Amino acid sequence: MGIFDFFKKKNNNQENVSTPVQEIEMPEEKVVEEVVEEVVETIPETPSQQVEESKVNEEFEKIRIYNDYIVYSIALQLRGEYTPLSAFEKENGEVEGFAYMVTEDAYALSPQQAIAQMEEKFENELQEGKIKSYMILYHSQFDHNGNHTPATQDGEFKGISLAYHFAEDDKAKTGLPYVFENQNVTYKGFAEFSHEENNEIMNHQLIEGKNYFPNTEGIAAPEMTNEAGIIIRKSNIHNLVNTWSGIFGHQNFQTKDYGQYLTTILMQSTVADPTGESKSKTEFEDVRFKTIVTDELSTIIPEVKTDYTLDFETRSIREWENALNLQAIVAGPARDTFGVWFFATDYAENRNTYMTQPHLKVNVSGIVLILDVHTNTDLPDGTKMSEDFTTYAPSQDLPNYACFDFIGQIIDFKETELLDDGSVKGYILKLKLITNEENENFFTIDAFVNKENMRIETLTKGMKVTGAVQLQGKIAG
């Protein structure tokens, strides 16, 4: 993983930032030429030019040593990346950059966390005399209004804030406001600097090929082993978007407002309904939309109904911090033989049981994300496989989501419908993922597939299929 992979902020405005992006292959490019004409549209006049000039120059002379990183931040924004950056001045006057390095796909620092940790790190080094100054650059709500609160949501992105501290001086902040106009970013300029000083910053050139961030620190997901011997890992970037895309169909989920539908259902579930109408909107023949409402978290989870049960031993749990640790992926061996992990649909109510009782009986089912005909029984290395060969392997595209790529066999199937109007159409498959001569149901799950996510016109019993499936499970009642 790269330094910047999990600080990216994208929305409708920022995804279109700006035509020059295509000309910038790497941040090291000399990017400012493309935006110079847009820079410094409005520079407030100072009431007393004579008095203010020395103050402006003094502050400018300090800040200019960090011009590389101001321009670097702009270059990243033009690529659609909104990463907090930092740099520091060594005792010999050299300036080097520092950034956090993402080390796994499941955990990232929020902008607020990154900024706070950078500030703590550099303040300590400044007090110890290891550095002469530092600067932290991040996107904020700043618009010449003194508001340097980090931007985290659409509509909040107003400027690049510079938080800096030089030895023997007080901490200070300034900002470079910007606006999104006609698919471009226009930078307004630093209000306390003159037109010439602003132009010097914005015309500053980066050196192609130079490593501006020789100092990095890895971000590792918190992990511990509890008294039951279960490894508890944390995640803070996961969500149910792919899960719901499997339910509603990938294309439909992008074009129809199912999010509003789910929000309405969730709101209705919090109110007692003597007519039973709310249940008809969440309970279907083969799938239920399970509502979870607590003081801290309200959400909906699609749950494929099944009575298929496995003996399971919990070895590790990946808790989702961004869901207040009420959602998780549970992993371990099933039937004392094959490894499996699943999204626990009952984790909110059974968290303590998962944490303390490793040996469980669990109902396991699945949501098929892609389904296609499997025609080639040869493995990539040329090995010939039997006609009844089945297998599954962790997904490379969706790690840590309990998603698996598979070659399976359809033992049986039936059509099914979701929503009160039956508008979501699919199948419940009896899908064999492991072939065992002595036990037909060794690992044969019930799985829902939306017709839209199928690349097959007609299903038949016994046919070999391939695709991707997200496994889900709950403690058997």
Side-chain angles (χ1 to χ4, degrees):
M1 301 301 301
I3 295 176
F4 309 111
D5 291 347
F6 284 98
F7 289 104
K8 295 181 182 179
K9 172 67 185 179
K10 295 183 179 180
N11 61 38
N12 291 337
N13 290 330
Q14 291 151 359
E15 286 179 345
N16 294 328
V17 177
S18 75
T19 303
V21 175
Q22 298 175 351
E23 301 175 24
I24 306 170
E25 295 182 1
M26 293 293 291
E28 291 81 11
E29 294 274 339
K30 301 174 182 180
V31 301
V32 186
E33 295 177 355
E34 285 85 8
V35 296
V36 167
E37 295 182 0
E38 298 173 341
V39 172
V40 195
E41 288 196 341
T42 58
I43 300 295
E45 295 183 3
T46 53
S48 173
Q49 193 71 22
Q50 187 76 26
V51 175
E52 294 292 329
E53 189 67 30
S54 61
K55 178 182 177 182
V56 168
N57 286 340
E58 180 181 342
E59 206 67 13
F60 173 75
E61 289 301 323
K62 290 195 300 184
I63 286 178
R64 69 189 300 180
I65 68 171
Y66 290 104
N67 282 355
D68 279 342
Y69 297 91
I70 298 173
V71 172
Y72 204 107
S73 293
I74 294 171
L76 287 178
Q77 183 179 14
L78 294 179
R79 292 178 55 187
E81 299 182 17
Y82 289 72
T83 306
L85 304 177
S86 60
F88 58 93
E89 181 187 8
K90 301 197 297 187
E91 291 181 281
N92 62 5
E94 294 180 1
V95 176
E96 292 183 352
F98 171 86
Y100 289 108
M101 174 77 75
V102 173
T103 58
E104 58 177 292
D105 290 337
Y107 203 83
L109 295 179
S110 69
Q112 297 95 321
Q113 289 175 309
I115 294 164
Q117 290 187 22
M118 286 175 178
E119 182 176 12
E120 180 180 7
K121 168 185 169 63
F122 290 128
E123 280 296 317
N124 289 337
E125 293 180 359
L126 194 65
Q127 295 300 321
E128 294 169 3
K130 295 179 179 179
I131 61 174
K132 296 169 66 176
S133 68
Y134 71 86
M135 176 177 286
I136 302 171
L137 304 95
Y138 62 94
H139 291 266
S140 70
Q141 302 174 38
F142 180 80
D143 188 13
H144 292 316
N145 55 3
N147 184 4
H148 291 282
T149 304
T152 58
Q153 299 180 12
D154 295 352
E156 293 183 351
F157 288 74
K158 302 291 180 64
I160 299 174
S161 282
L162 282 55
Y164 55 95
H165 193 182
F166 286 78
E168 300 181 0
D169 285 335
D170 294 333
K171 292 181 183 179
K173 291 181 179 179
T174 186
L176 176 64
Y178 52 72
V179 293
F180 298 101
E181 294 179 326
N182 300 322
Q183 300 184 336
N184 290 294
V185 182
T186 299
Y187 297 91
K188 299 181 182 180
F190 294 92
E192 57 267 64
F193 297 159
S194 69
H195 184 82
E196 291 74 20
E197 289 164 344
N198 270 285
N199 276 343
E200 179 177 327
I201 294 172
M202 303 302 289
N203 284 319
H204 182 79
Q205 300 294 301
L206 297 174
I207 300 172
E208 186 173 357
K210 178 179 177 178
N211 179 14
Y212 285 94
F213 293 90
N215 307 280
T216 61
E217 184 176 311
I219 303 169
E223 178 180 311
M224 55 87 69
T225 301
N226 69 11
E227 294 180 356
I230 298 171
I231 300 170
I232 312 298
R233 298 185 177 94
K234 297 293 185 178
S235 164
N236 65 358
I237 64 169
H238 291 134
N239 55 56
L240 296 175
V241 170
N242 290 300
T243 306
W244 284 111
S245 183
I247 291 292
F248 291 122
H250 302 315
Q251 187 62 39
N252 272 333
F253 192 62
Q254 294 179 32
T255 57
K256 296 182 180 179
D257 194 5
Y258 286 116
Q260 182 58 50
Y261 166 80
L262 294 173
T263 300
T264 302
I265 295 300
L266 186 60
M267 292 177 62
Q268 291 174 348
S269 72
T270 63
V271 180
D273 180 14
T275 67
E277 289 185 9
S278 61
K279 186 173 183 180
S280 70
K281 296 179 183 298
T282 60
E283 192 80 23
F284 314 106
E285 182 181 358
D286 300 295
V287 178
R288 67 170 57 90
F289 292 174
K290 181 177 181 178
T291 57
I292 298 173
V293 180
T294 70
D295 292 339
E296 302 87 9
L297 176 74
S298 297
T299 190
I300 301 181
I301 296 171
E303 184 178 87
V304 178
K305 299 178 184 180
T306 186
D307 58 4
Y308 180 67
T309 305
L310 284 174
D311 291 325
F312 179 79
E313 181 185 354
T314 305
R315 293 280 181 84
S316 69
I317 298 173
R318 171 79 73 173
E319 287 194 324
W320 295 6
E321 279 187 348
N322 52 319
L324 302 179
N325 298 316
L326 295 178
Q327 295 176 0
I329 302 294
V330 180
R335 298 192 188 278
D336 293 323
T337 51
F338 58 91
V340 68
W341 44 101
F342 57 86
F343 176 81
T345 61
D346 62 340
Y347 196 75
E349 60 263 40
N350 289 327
R351 181 173 186 261
N352 184 63
T353 302
Y354 280 109
M355 286 276 194
T356 59
Q357 300 180 28
H359 296 280
L360 300 168
K361 289 188 179 296
V362 295
N363 297 133
V364 176
S365 56
I367 298 173
V368 176
L369 307 179
I370 301 171
L371 189 69
D372 203 350
V373 177
H374 179 68
T375 56
N376 185 4
T377 58
D378 294 349
L379 294 181
D381 63 3
T383 303
K384 298 286 184 181
M385 304 307 296
S386 64
E387 289 296 325
D388 61 353
F389 172 74
T390 56
T391 188
Y392 68 100
S395 169
Q396 298 300 309
D397 296 325
L398 294 171
N400 302 311
Y401 278 93
C403 291
F404 295 85
D405 299 323
F406 68 87
I407 299 171
Q409 184 177 23
I410 297 178
I411 302 302
D412 202 354
F413 64 92
K414 69 170 184 175
E415 292 193 71
T416 192
E417 296 179 347
L418 306 181
L419 304 191
D420 51 355
D421 62 357
S423 59
V424 175
K425 301 184 184 301
Y427 292 94
I428 292 293
L429 310 177
K430 191 75 68 175
L431 184 63
K432 182 192 291 187
L433 297 176
I434 294 179
T435 300
N436 184 290
E437 294 180 358
E438 298 178 359
N439 186 348
E440 180 72 17
N441 292 320
F442 192 73
F443 193 28
T444 301
I445 65 170
D446 295 309
F448 171 84
V449 60
N450 187 297
K451 289 184 177 181
E452 182 190 315
N453 296 339
M454 294 171 51
R455 300 170 183 172
I456 305 172
E457 291 293 330
T458 304
L459 297 180
T460 58
K461 292 183 181 181
M463 75 184 303
K464 296 292 290 294
V465 290
T466 186
V469 63
Q470 182 181 35
L471 296 184
Q472 56 177 220
K474 65 175 184 176
I475 297 173

